[in-house]
């Protein structure tokens, strides 16, 4: 069984990032979402080299792409990459940059509906923080259909409580695939609003709705 934890060598990066400095980065990352004359643009990266290039180009923060990390490691997208390998990549990315990093953790690397394991989600959040990231993007897809709204809100609340235990106010970006899934048809807008309200109430800091202006079904 592949461990969810980063390898010991990469975990040494945590020695250079105290809980206090991670907390400061998390606060700075949250403040970037508060508005201002220049909107926050997050460019996706998948390894240390791409992270360095994006930072050098002037990025104030960096986001990972789970699909790009998976593909770069030889795995298809959709929670197929061994989590330990994904967190090793995340650790290399965070170690290579001085700006805040937020991690795409797909549905949490904790199993699909029916087999979801809260313990594995706890390990995922701990691994993200140990890698040096200060934000996560978590989605409500991962099974045959979208996770029920109340269950996804419960998972978001769990992520929030785990992060708070560490002393880092992790930025939680909740992705909802109401449009991307093609599951809701003409009711997608109302479903999106309901889920957004539920996820924010559960502790999410932001909402991401992919394909809002695209076709109702994936290609």
């Amino acid at each position: 069984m592949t461990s969810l934890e980063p390898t010991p060598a990469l975990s040494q990066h945590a020695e250079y990032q105290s809980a206090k400095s991670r907390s400061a980065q998390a606060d700075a990352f949250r403040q970037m979402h508060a508005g201002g004359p220049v909107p926050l643009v997050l460019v996706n990266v998948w390894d240390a080299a791409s992270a360095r290039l994006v930072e050098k180009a002037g990025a104030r923060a960096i986001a990972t792409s789970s699909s790009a990390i998976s593909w770069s490691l030889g795995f298809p997208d959709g929670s197929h990459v061994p989590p330990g390998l994904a967190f090793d990549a995340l650790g290399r990315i965070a170690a290579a940059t001085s700006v805040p990093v937020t991690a795409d953790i797909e549905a949490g690397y904790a199993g699909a509906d029916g087999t979801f394991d809260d313990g594995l989600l706890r390990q995922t959040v701990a691994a993200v923080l140990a890698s040096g990231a200060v934000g996560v993007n978590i989605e409500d897809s991962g099974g045959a259909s979208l996770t029920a709204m109340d269950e996804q809100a419960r998972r978001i609340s769990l992520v929030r409580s785990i992060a708070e235990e560490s002393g880092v106010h992790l930025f939680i970006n909740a992705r909802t695939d109401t449009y991307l899934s093609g599951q809701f048809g003409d009711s997608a807008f109302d479903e999106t609003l309901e889920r957004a309200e539920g996820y924010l109430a559960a502790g999410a800091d932001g909402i991401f709705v992919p394909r809002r202006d695209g076709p109702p079904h994936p290609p």
Side-chain angles (χ1 to χ4, degrees):
M1 179 177 179
T2 302
S3 170
L4 291 186
E5 298 295 333
T7 60
L10 287 170
S11 293
Q12 291 175 0
H13 174 56
E15 297 176 7
Y16 301 95
Q17 276 206 312
S18 66
K20 183 177 180 180
S21 66
R22 288 198 303 274
S23 182
Q25 274 206 333
D27 291 342
F29 185 57
R30 178 169 288 96
Q31 188 60 36
M32 292 176 192
H33 291 77
V38 180
L40 175 64
V41 176
L42 289 172
V43 177
N44 289 144
V45 303
W46 56 93
D47 61 10
S50 57
R52 289 290 295 273
L53 288 170
V54 169
E55 181 182 12
K56 186 176 180 180
R60 294 183 289 156
I62 288 172
T64 68
S65 162
S66 62
S67 58
I69 287 177
S70 295
W71 294 329
S72 73
L73 295 172
F75 295 90
D77 186 25
S79 297
H80 293 289
V81 64
L85 293 182
F87 296 132
D88 282 350
L90 177 60
R92 291 190 291 270
I93 289 167
T97 71
S98 61
V99 299
V101 174
T102 182
D104 182 351
I105 60 170
E106 303 194 51
Y109 298 122
D113 291 344
T115 62
F116 194 85
D117 187 329
D118 286 357
L120 290 179
L121 181 59
R122 179 174 289 274
Q123 290 183 43
T124 292
V125 177
V128 166
L129 292 171
S131 297
V134 296
V136 293
N137 187 83
I138 185 167
E139 62 196 49
D140 55 12
S141 57
S145 59
L146 295 198
T147 301
M149 185 189 71
D150 289 346
E151 169 60 16
Q152 186 67 10
R154 186 192 69 81
R155 297 176 189 180
I156 291 169
S157 180
L158 180 58
V159 172
R160 171 59 64 216
S161 65
I162 296 167
E164 293 297 332
E165 290 170 7
S166 74
V168 176
H169 195 52
L170 188 76
F171 190 97
I172 302 173
N173 193 44
R175 168 177 151 176
T176 181
D177 286 348
T178 45
Y179 285 91
L180 187 62
S181 68
Q183 184 178 327
F184 298 99
D186 292 339
S187 65
F189 182 74
D190 291 337
E191 181 71 20
T192 300
L193 291 182
E194 184 176 1
R195 284 178 178 259
E197 291 173 357
Y199 297 168
L200 291 171
D205 299 288
I207 302 295
F208 171 35
V209 186
R211 295 294 288 271
R212 169 62 185 90
D213 295 320
H217 299 282

